[in-house]
Amino acid sequence: MSQLNLAKLFALSTLSGLLIACGGGGDGSSGHNGNGNPPPANSTDLFSLKGKQWSITPTANQTYCYDIDTQAEVSCSGNDWDLKFAMGTRTPLLFSNSGVSGSGNGGVLYSPFDATWANLSKEKDATQGGSLPAQAWSLDAYSNAFMDSASGNNSFFEYNLFGDHRMSPNFKTFLVTTDSSSKAVIGTYEKPVFAVQIYNYYQGSTSGYISIRYINTQQPYDIKTLTIDATQGWNYVDLTTGMSSKNATGPWQLAFNRYNVQQNQGVGSMIASQPAGFYSADGQPVIEKFKDSHAYVTTETDLKAAVNTSNIKWGSNSINSILNPTFKGAYPQKLSYGWYNYYPTLSAAQADGLQAAHMLKANPESASLIRGNKGNSYARLHLTDIHYADPANASSATTWTFELDIQPAR
């Protein structure tokens, strides 16, 4: 389940409702100003730089970055990039200069499955006259057992279940190993395995203090607790000593920063169990279970039962961005990755005018909005073309061309 969706729902109600349901917009009239009144209509098109092109002829396993402020490709080693194109062996991943991908104040509004170029092209102001909250922009985040890979948010709390804008724990149990090469759920003295529950997000009324309880699976009845100050940057936790530190160079397995969790390199994790009854069959939170004042006590058995987990498959950190949605479709038909289609068979490729199996074709209608690394410029973008050096050879060099309309900083 995803959390922290209040701002995103606001974004969808202002932009999606305006652009997609109504088929256009850009008058800046959605949302309200600080006096509770609609902001004045914006008749000026702030996307003043239109039709900018970024073409990349990538080499496998190399990264390429673009700066919307200068409309130029820049080094990915600096801080001035806004969009990163990370080429794999055949296909890329895209990232914004935000969250765990970079030190910038970037972000993304819409995956390429959630907006169209035709509708976004009618928008005149990416900020909706200042009414769109900064939190509506999705930040790149770690994807692991603790993080929802679809939303980029954490998977251990639910937000605003009771209309009080608070985080409510769901008492999931996570297994954390210090030796991901072993499938043993019971660790050793040198390489322990831990079971972890996150049960609180507050110290008094102050948010960002994450409380965990955990066991070394060799000693399932020795339950330890720890509260981590995750309010200011990453705090690194060593479960073997029960200590946390701002120092990432010491021993640690998990690190917490507000709503985000990362794992140390070489550490593996998996969800061992979800307490029965917290969610309905269709995945919706069961409010009464989250209200239960005895949940902390009753879910202790789930923590201890983690030692009986079978079919271990450890997961590791990857970085999630909504610019990289899960593909849609079913083999042997074409598979859509939002920005482009992949054609696994010759017949599927020929149906869309391509000459060979395993080729890619751009989806120019899919689009997204990104925020620049300084947080004050914006761009809508779509992939207009994937050109093959040899149109009959799926292994030949490709050139990827993006088109961007840019709203410069004011």
Side-chain angles (χ1 to χ4, degrees), residues 61-237:
N61 302 313
Q62 297 295 313
T63 59
Y64 306 83
C65 288
Y66 186 82
D67 179 9
I68 64 176
D69 294 318
T70 61
Q71 300 90 60
E73 188 171 304
V74 296
S75 171
C76 295
S77 62
N79 297 320
D80 291 332
W81 63 273
D82 303 309
L83 180 65
K84 179 182 291 185
F85 179 102
M87 191 64 178
T89 55
R90 297 281 297 275
T91 59
L93 294 174
L94 301 180
F95 301 98
S96 65
N97 194 339
S98 69
V100 300
S101 289
S103 59
N105 192 31
V108 183
L109 196 66
Y110 301 120
S111 87
F113 283 129
D114 295 329
T116 66
W117 182 252
N119 285 327
L120 287 187
S121 293
K122 298 172 185 176
E123 180 57 33
K124 296 182 178 180
D125 180 3
T127 72
Q128 289 294 289
S131 67
L132 188 69
Q135 297 91 332
W137 297 87
S138 177
L139 309 184
D140 292 1
Y142 284 111
S143 178
N144 51 50
F146 293 85
M147 305 300 294
D148 187 318
S149 61
S151 69
N153 298 315
N154 68 65
S155 63
F156 45 87
F157 286 121
E158 290 292 339
Y159 175 67
N160 200 35
L161 289 181
F162 312 112
D164 55 4
H165 304 296
R166 290 179 64 86
M167 306 283 273
S168 301
N170 59 20
F171 295 96
K172 282 184 178 179
T173 302
F174 301 87
L175 280 172
V176 178
T177 184
T178 56
D179 181 14
S180 57
S181 67
S182 170
K183 293 185 178 181
V185 71
I186 308 296
T188 65
Y189 178 81
E190 294 82 10
K191 296 180 178 180
V193 177
F194 301 93
V196 180
Q197 283 181 341
I198 300 173
Y199 67 87
N200 198 7
Y201 187 68
Y202 299 91
Q203 189 174 80
S205 60
T206 305
S207 65
Y209 287 85
I210 295 179
S211 293
I212 67 174
R213 63 178 173 183
Y214 62 99
I215 58 172
N216 182 323
T217 55
Q218 291 180 295
Q219 302 170 310
Y221 292 96
D222 184 12
I223 299 176
K224 302 180 185 299
T225 61
L226 179 65
T227 297
I228 302 106
D229 180 355
T231 60
Q232 300 291 330
W234 290 103
N235 208 332
Y236 302 89
V237 176

Side-chain angles (χ1 to χ4, degrees), residues 334-364:
K334 69 180 179 183
L335 306 178
S336 177
Y337 288 79
W339 304 106
Y340 59 88
N341 293 331
Y342 164 66
Y343 299 85
T345 65
L346 178 60
S347 60
Q350 290 176 333
D352 269 7
L354 301 175
Q355 299 180 34
H358 306 298
M359 299 196 84
L360 309 172
K361 185 176 183 179
N363 277 333

